[in-house]
Structure formats: C-alpha cells, structure tokens
Amino acid sequence: MTTSRTTNPNAEQTIPPWREAARPLQERVDLLLAEMTLEEKAGELGSRWVGNDMVSSGDAPGSHGSEPDPVETLNVAPMQDVFAAAGSSPLEEASRHGLGHLTRVYGSAPVTATEGAAEVVRQQRIVMESSRLGIPALVHEECLTGFTTYGATVYPAAIAWGATFDPDLVERMAAAIGRDMAALGVHQGLSPVLDVVRDYRWGRVEETMGEDPYLVAMLGAGYVRGLQSAGVIATLKHFAGYSASRGARNHGPVPMGRRELIDVMLPPFETAVALAGVGSVMNSYSDVDNVPAAADSWLMTDLLREEWGFEGTVVSDYWAVPFLASMHRVAADYAEAGAVALAAGIDVELPDTIGFGKALVDKVQRGELDEALVDRAARRILTQKAALGLLDSDWSPEASVAAAGDTDLDSPAHRDLAREMAERSIVLLDPGTALPLLGHGRPAPRRVAVVGPCAADPRTFMGCYSFPNHVLPRHPHLGLGIEVQSAVDALRVELPDVDIVHERGCQIQGDDRSGFEAAITAARESNLCLAFVGDLAGLFGHGTSGEGCDAEDLRLPGLQADLLDELLATGTPVVVVVVSGRPYALGEVHGRAAALVQAFMPGEEGGGAIAGVLSGRVEPGGRLPVQIPRRPGGQPGTYLQPPLGGENGGTTNLDPTPLFPFGHGRSYTSFEVDDLRISGTDVPTDGEFTASVCVRNTGSRAGEEVVQLYLHDVVATVARPVKQLTGFVRVSLEPGDAVEVSFRVHADRTAFTGQGLQRLVEPGDIEVLIGTSADDLPCQDRVRFTGPVRVVGHDRHLVTPVEVRPSLAT
C-alpha cells in the first residue's frame, strides 16, 4: 500500500492515503474499506447512547451533577427504559472496532453548550483511541423544533410551519438551527418529519406539516436545504406510512394499499431526495400491509435507491431493528433482526448497537449473511464521514467544537426568527364580533378575563421534541432553560391600559372543577373573556399531544370543553384561542364564541405573537394545514379524499364536512381572487398550461393571502381526490394593490398510480380551481389533456412553478 508522510513538531507520522483530503472522495473510501477487517466495517454500522442510563439525572455526563434524581422515569424514545435496563457496553468496548454514530450527546440531559462540547470531545477521543483506525463517529441530535438541547431557541412545532405555507421561511429557520448544531460538532439532525396526516387523533400530528403531500413536500424540501446549507445532514422521517396507523394508535399497523402509499405518503420523501439532495432517511416503526418498513427491501432499496437514486444513509429509528423481533415478530431474535434490516437496506442502527455489530459478524462468518451487505452499508456511512471531513488527517474533536464558546443558542436573531414563524403561523379562524381588540372603530375593553389552562403555562407553546417538554420534565427544578412569556403576561404588555385578570379554570387534563367558579366569576365581571384552551405536549402518555399521546376522539382534553360551555353561557363575549398540536372539534363553540383563533404550538415567541394577532398589531397570516372538525368523533377524514370520502348522499348518517376547511384563514383585511385565464384548453399529455388570476387587497390595511391552486381529475381509471392542492404562493399586498399570480402546470402534476401500479398521466378533462382554501375556490375552469396515456417516473415534474407580478387591473 502506498503511503505519504508528514511531520509534526513531535514525531514523524505516516498518514494513510485515505486520510489525504486531496484525493477523490470515493478513492479514499475504497482505500479505507480495503484496509478494514470485517469487524471494523461492522463497527461503522453501529452507535452508542452514552447518556441513556435512565438511572439518575445526576449521573449523566455534564448534567450539573449536584441536581436531585428525577421524580420518575420518563422515556424520550419508545421502550427506552427496557433497553436501558438490559444494559449496554461501555463506550470503550462499543468502539473497539470503530463506531458509526454517537447518540444525543447534547439532548439526553441539560448541559450547557460548553459542557456538551467537552462531552463531544471526550466521547470522540474514546472512539478514536479505542479503535485501530481511529475513525471519528458522526454525532446526531434531534432538531424538530430547534436544536433539542438545553437553552436553545424553541421554534414553533412543525404543524405551525405548515400553517405558514412559506417554504422560504422554513428554510431560513432550518439554516439557523443547522449553524448552531455544526458549531457544536453535530453532524446529523433527525428532522424533518415528512409524514402526511391521515387521522387527527394521532399524537404526532404536531410533528407533521399537515395533511397535504404537496404542502409537506415543499416545506420539507425547504427544511432540508436550510439544514444542509450549514453542513448538517438532514434526516427524512418516518419512511413510510407511519401516520396512517389503524385507529391513530402510535406504532399501530397501517392498513394501506400500495397505491395510497405511493400517491399520498411518498411524494414528500421523493421530492426531498430529488430536489433537496437529502443525506439521510429514517425508517418508520410501522408495518404497512403487514410488512415492517425496517424489513422492506422494496421500500428501502428498490424504490429509494434504485428508482429514486438516493445515495445517502438509511438510519434506523431508535430500536427499530430489535423491534423486528420483539414487536413485529418477523425475526426470531435480535441477531436475525439485524440481518433482515441490513438486507432490506438499513445502514446504521440507532441509538445503540443491538442487532448489528458482532451479531452481523457472526452471521457472515457462519455463511448466513453476505459480507457484501456489510460492505454496502459501511461504504455509505464512510462516504458521509469523508464528505464531512472526518477522515481528513487534520480533523480533531477539539476543532469540531471550537466555536462552542461563541455560540449563543438563543440569540436575539434566533428569537426574531422564532417570532416571525409564530406570527405567520397563527390562524384567525373567525374574527367574529370581537377581533381585533384594538381598531376597527371599536373601543378597547376596560376589563378582560384571561382564563383557561393554556393562558399562563408557556410549555403549551412548545412541541414534544422541544427540550423543555422532551427532557426537562426529568429535571423539574431547572425550569424551561429559556425565557418564554406566557399568553397572559404577553397580553399585559400588549394591552397596558386594560385591566387584565387571570383564572386558570381547570387543568389541561384531569377532572378537577374546583377552578370553574373563579373563572366564571372573572368572565361575568369583565367586558371580554379570552379563553386559552388546548394541549400540553409530552411523550408516551405524559401529555395530550406528542409521541405516544394519541387521542380517543377530538374533544378538547380534560374538562376544557365543559369550561368553555360555562364561559359561553355567562353572556360575556368569549374569544376562544386554541393552542394545540392537533385540530379539535369546535362545532359546539362556533357561533357562540365572539371569535376563534388557532395557534399550533407557536414556540417560545408564541405569547407575543398571539397577543399581537388578538390586538390587531399583527396581521394574521396563517392558513390551516389540517381541517378543523365540526364534531369530536372520527369525522372528518382529511380533505384529500375520493368522492366516497367526502359525501354522504343519504348513504350514511355521518357527515364528514369540516367546520373549517384545509387552507382556510381569515385576515383583518379582505382579498379578492378573480379573472382566471388559462393559456390553452387543449394540452398534450406531455405538455403544460398556465393558469393566472388577479389577486387584490380590497380592505383597508396591508396583509398577506395564500393563493391556492387545486386540480380535479374528472374521470379516471381509479377513484381520484375530489380536489388536490397542486400549487400555492403567499402574496403580500398594500390596500388597493393587485398582483397577477400565474401557475405553470405540467401534465406530470396530474399523474397518479393506476390499476397496474404504474404512475400515469391520462388524457381527459381536468378541473382547475383557484382560491384561498379547499372550499373557497371562486375561479374554476377546465383543460383537456389529449394524446396517449403516459407512464412517468422519478424524473417527472414534481413542482408547480409560480410567478407573481404587478397586475395591470385597476
């Protein structure tokens, strides 16, 4: 083997050629693989979670060791306590043949940036010094609502990103998150979640970006571009079908055919691969049509790699590999589970090595597993390490965290961005007779009662993967770690001349009515009541929203619906503000409330954003990424339904019509969308057309509208959605101004999976519908696609380009 030599001040050292940054990347990986033993290649496919002792919070590295033990064991991953109790080898032993990933160095316990950086250096040094080749590990962290670490900015939950309908804003947020992670030596972020909502009762609705695949695809691609612009690998999850479990039960089986999987669940993942160049994918826990994703070679290899051309790594969701044996029972034991997952296409086992590692080595040595499968996965992770510079001769753990001391994890710039996200995400469902509180010719109320369990608890603004709700419940004496203003405190700042009284009324969960009387009295004695109701995110039953916090129905949790009913009966006007991670049924409230506002977990700046929308200082710009149900039962399904999903026609007593439709949102100004013009009514099945409308601000103040394009295939060979979002754009207009919005629609955008499971563009009529929600579509026309049926693939057009230019209309 040819080597080059270099000299440092201490001694002459031989540098292996695979450490030479000037060599082509793949050449370096080839050279390294040729030098590695089977055990060393298998080592790269494993991981170690050092902080996962689950014994004492004071024992975790860098966790302010004098703090008391946690009040109870609270898992942050499914069955974490079970696997922790089984025990794991020390990091030195886990790294003896090398290691692929270090798990959650910053996110397992409350450490400062400086403490976390020191722990990264310590763990990386152990990994490098315990193994023959000295290859560093990739460090990964969660980053769904921001960098999930102590003291970092908590941005709105992902469902709030959906409400912004703003991919560029999501990209800017992700870039800010990525820069902080990169500065602290983190290489991979376990976001974004690209699951498409199918049932609002599912606890992880808050982690999604909504119920439409195109909206999720555009926002998800924006997140990937932003995070990876900072040099941090983004991870798409959960691949695929996770959000469609039977009964909305977390980890439940998914009774879904391949056509729905391809047309509804997979497009966001495909778009992030094709247009954003995502670096990693994480499997779903679920089994779809009885095949667990972690064992599905069609999904992980045939589709993802061979059809889509994905070249990154597939990482397992935490313990998804052993789950193949213990939960799905498609493997006899953990060793067999590891072999099944590796063969299907999983490259790295997270968060600890259980089914990979020695188990794979033993199977190869016994002739039960092809070593080429180990080589395949090792090549993929070593390629990523080389691309990130971890194989370079001058890389060091200390240099990777050199910027830690200068990194402000909750800087003013971050807070400004969090505020912009929050303000743009809040949805004015109905201004009613009370909003805005200031202006519009109405006097400010003299006395306002602020009631409800979400009024004074800022934790309700944050998702289940925010550090304050994800980890800090195990360390209650530390508070939130950041400054977060509650809604009532923000209102006191927003309305300094108004007498504001506060009563909680009830808790988010539970059956304690002892606070009802004081809340009702406060409402009766006030000119206006602001009722804040909704969710508190948690994990595995320790919340009303979040992972493992699924709902039986869509009634507000606990006694909150009863509290609202009594408040509405006082005769005092009641503005209802729902702060939640999922939509709740508001049919019993609408029409009785003086106004309705939906705030989807708006993050650390949520208090001021909500107060600004209520006062009128902030023009509400959020639009619903999910529908608001009328009744609390299993109705409605999402808007994306074929005819039988959206009509009853006297065939059933259940009406799925929502209270507020997908895409809905009101403003304090008014907009008009008209003058639809289509470039041509006859379009070949490989051609395109342009649909243009005029959008005008007809109100008295500046505002933003989200213009939405929907298509409907009138007659097709399979039942198609009544309407499906195909394009959207936010436009900002001063009073009286107008713009022309033009959507360029390629025939590929009408493609669907036919009876033979090929994606087709069929000739025939397509309805073109443009407006401001799925049910407010004043501009409608048809085009006819002509010519032969076309079979299209991964190279089809995935995006509907939009152009906005000044309108000549008066």
Side-chain angles (χ1 to χ4, degrees):
M1 182 179 67
T2 303
T3 62
S4 61
R5 307 178 74 85
T6 187
T7 303
N8 67 27
N10 300 315
E12 188 179 78
Q13 295 181 340
T14 300
I15 297 177
W18 51 268
R19 288 201 181 276
E20 295 176 0
R23 288 179 180 267
L25 186 145
Q26 285 305 322
E27 179 185 335
R28 297 172 67 193
V29 173
D30 289 341
L31 290 167
L32 177 54
L33 279 170
E35 187 173 327
M36 298 175 83
T37 66
L38 171 61
E39 289 82 0
E40 288 168 338
K41 289 183 288 188
E44 291 298 316
L45 314 187
S47 59
R48 182 71 183 95
W49 190 355
V50 173
N52 184 32
D53 52 37
M54 299 291 290
V55 176
S56 168
S57 60
D59 292 339
S63 63
H64 311 288
S66 61
E67 67 181 66
D69 291 351
V71 293
E72 62 176 314
T73 295
L74 296 173
N75 287 352
V76 298
M79 299 184 68
Q80 179 184 358
D81 52 340
V82 174
F83 287 100
S88 295
S89 58
L91 183 57
E92 290 83 354
E93 176 62 25
S95 306
R96 188 159 63 93
H97 299 297
L99 191 69
H101 274 243
L102 288 169
T103 296
R104 304 204 64 181
V105 178
Y106 290 93
S108 299
V111 296
T112 66
T114 301
E115 291 168 335
E119 182 62 14
V120 166
V121 171
R122 186 187 78 85
Q123 291 190 27
Q124 288 281 30
R125 280 291 169 200
I126 291 173
V127 170
M128 296 170 69
E129 293 169 5
S130 299
S131 58
R132 179 177 70 93
L133 295 173
I135 300 171
L138 291 179
V139 178
H140 75 256
E141 288 291 350
E142 299 284 358
C143 55
L144 186 58
T145 66
F147 185 6
T148 305
T149 190
Y150 186 65
T153 301
V154 176
Y155 294 93
I159 191 67
W161 313 350
T164 71
F165 276 72
D166 194 334
D168 292 339
L169 180 56
V170 171
E171 182 173 342
R172 284 197 285 126
M173 175 194 70
I177 295 168
R179 287 192 293 270
D180 283 351
M181 296 174 77
L184 270 62
V186 178
H187 308 106
Q188 183 163 347
L190 303 187
S191 289
V193 171
L194 298 189
D195 296 305
V196 177
V197 175
R198 300 302 279 168
D199 190 324
Y200 306 138
R201 297 172 298 173
W202 189 48
R204 304 189 80 167
V205 166
E206 65 165 72
E207 299 179 49
T208 77
M209 289 171 265
E211 66 185 61
D212 180 83
Y214 187 65
L215 176 64
V216 175
M218 293 297 96
L219 297 171
Y223 186 99
V224 170
R225 283 192 295 267
L227 197 72
Q228 294 192 165
S229 72
V232 175
I233 298 167
T235 309
L236 309 182
K237 57 188 194 184
H238 306 85
F239 194 62
Y242 186 33
S243 56
S245 58
R246 183 178 284 118
R249 181 175 174 270
N250 196 40
H251 288 218
V254 176
M256 176 183 288
R258 187 156 288 187
R259 182 174 295 102
E260 183 179 356
L261 183 72
I262 293 172
D263 285 350
V264 177
M265 311 305 287
L266 292 180
F269 295 92
E270 184 178 10
T271 301
V273 170
L275 302 185
V278 70
S280 191
V281 171
M282 174 181 281
N283 74 284
S284 162
Y285 285 124
S286 296
D287 55 69
V288 179
D289 196 21
N290 302 125
V291 179
D296 191 345
S297 60
W298 170 79
L299 183 69
M300 298 290 181
T301 298
D302 298 351
L303 180 77
L304 178 63
R305 295 200 182 273
E306 295 178 8
E307 183 175 335
W308 294 357
F310 175 69
E311 296 181 346
T313 56
V314 176
V315 299
S316 78
D317 206 342
Y318 284 15
W319 295 299
V321 172
F323 281 173
L324 291 177
S326 63
M327 304 290 282
H328 298 287
R329 301 179 189 174
V330 299
D333 52 33
Y334 292 163
E336 184 179 343
V340 168
L342 183 70
I346 287 182
D347 303 311
V348 182
E349 182 183 10
L350 303 181
D352 273 310
T353 307
I354 295 177
F356 279 16
K358 186 177 186 302
L360 295 180
V361 171
D362 290 346
K363 282 192 170 290
V364 171
Q365 291 176 339
R366 291 196 300 264
E368 298 171 0
L369 182 70
D370 189 346
E371 186 174 350
L373 294 174
V374 177
D375 292 351
R376 180 180 73 175
R379 175 180 295 279
R380 291 165 180 166
I381 191 167
L382 291 173
T383 298
Q384 286 193 332
K385 288 186 175 184
L388 290 167
L390 272 68
L391 304 186
D392 294 356
S393 59
D394 61 351
W395 188 92
S396 71
E398 292 80 6
S400 75
V401 298
D406 300 322
T407 301
D408 183 351
L409 293 176
D410 193 28
S411 68
H414 288 5
R415 297 193 72 103
D416 286 345
L417 186 53
R419 184 179 307 112
E420 185 179 357
M421 286 286 299
E423 291 178 351
R424 195 160 289 191
S425 71
I426 295 168
V427 183
L428 178 62
L429 297 175
D430 185 354
T433 58
L435 296 183
L437 298 178
L438 305 179
H440 278 225
R442 63 172 62 93
R446 297 185 305 278
R447 180 181 173 92
V448 172
V450 179
V451 302
C454 296
D457 188 350
R459 295 177 303 160
T460 62
F461 295 158
M462 296 178 278
C464 74
Y465 270 82
S466 67
F467 198 84
N469 284 337
H470 196 68
V471 175
L472 288 180
R474 297 170 63 183
H475 310 267
H477 67 290
L478 289 178
L480 300 180
I482 50 176
E483 292 295 324
V484 187
Q485 193 175 47
S486 70
V488 66
D489 288 341
L491 284 163
R492 287 183 170 127
V493 173
E494 189 77 25
L495 306 170
D497 299 324
V498 176
D499 180 15
I500 292 178
V501 295
H502 168 250
E503 294 289 345
R504 185 172 67 175
C506 66
Q507 296 179 342
I508 287 174
Q509 293 178 286
D511 55 5
D512 182 4
R513 293 176 175 266
S514 62
F516 271 37
E517 183 177 353
I520 301 308
T521 299
R524 282 203 181 101
E525 295 177 351
S526 299
N527 306 110
L528 181 72
C529 175
L530 301 177
F532 287 79
V533 295
D535 282 320
L536 176 60
L539 295 163
F540 308 111
H542 293 277
T544 59
S545 175
E547 185 174 359
C549 297
D550 311 312
E552 293 183 358
D553 59 32
L554 297 173
R555 178 181 170 89
L556 283 163
L559 297 176
Q560 294 181 83
D562 293 348
L563 176 63
L564 281 183
D565 193 56
E566 295 199 27
L567 291 171
L568 292 166
T570 62
T572 299
V574 178
V575 174
V576 177
V577 182
V578 182
V579 182
S580 66
R582 66 164 63 83
Y584 284 104
L586 300 178
E588 295 296 319
V589 176
H590 186 235
R592 301 169 64 199
L596 288 176
V597 175
Q598 174 67 57
F600 288 113
M601 292 183 175
E604 67 178 34
E605 290 291 331
I610 294 171
V613 167
L614 293 176
S615 73
R617 173 179 56 82
V618 174
E619 177 67 20
R623 299 297 182 262
L624 287 175
V626 289
Q627 299 182 123
I628 301 294
R630 190 176 300 274
R631 285 174 291 277
Q635 307 292 323
T638 68
Y639 95 95
L640 196 62
Q641 297 288 339
L644 290 184
E647 300 178 2
N648 63 13
T651 61
T652 174
N653 61 310
L654 297 178
D655 183 0
T657 304
L659 182 63
F660 295 104
F662 174 84
H664 170 81
R666 297 286 302 278
S667 302
Y668 294 141
T669 187
S670 57
F671 295 91
E672 187 177 87
V673 181
D674 60 12
D675 192 23
L676 172 61
R677 285 160 290 132
I678 295 179
S679 60
T681 55
D682 290 318
V683 181
T685 53
D686 62 353
E688 64 180 26
F689 67 91
T690 299
S692 302
V693 293
C694 178
V695 183
R696 183 180 296 103
N697 184 340
T698 57
S700 59
R701 57 186 284 173
E704 293 187 330
E705 184 57 275
V706 177
V707 186
Q708 302 162 41
L709 163 71
Y710 296 80
L711 297 182
H712 171 227
D713 197 338
V714 178
V715 178
T717 50
V718 301
R720 299 289 295 133
V722 173
K723 57 179 75 78
Q724 183 165 1
L725 184 71
T726 311
F728 64 88
V729 66
R730 290 187 73 101
V731 296
S732 179
L733 291 170
E734 295 293 323
D737 284 355
V739 292
E740 181 180 78
V741 175
S742 296
F743 297 94
R744 194 169 81 247
V745 185
H746 194 276
D748 289 357
R749 301 290 292 118
T750 70
F752 63 91
T753 304
Q755 294 184 18
L757 295 182
Q758 289 182 306
R759 184 175 276 109
L760 308 175
V761 176
E762 290 185 342
D765 287 353
I766 298 290
E767 289 184 340
V768 180
L769 312 105
I770 301 179
T772 57
S773 80
D775 280 356
D776 184 9
L777 299 166
C779 299
Q780 302 188 13
D781 205 341
R782 288 192 181 198
V783 298
R784 170 163 293 181
F785 285 106
T786 60
V789 174
R790 290 177 57 237
V791 177
V792 297
H794 179 61
D795 59 350
R796 71 193 185 281
H797 292 77
L798 297 170
V799 174
T800 302
V802 190
E803 183 179 357
V804 179
R805 54 183 177 272
S807 173
L808 299 178
T810 57

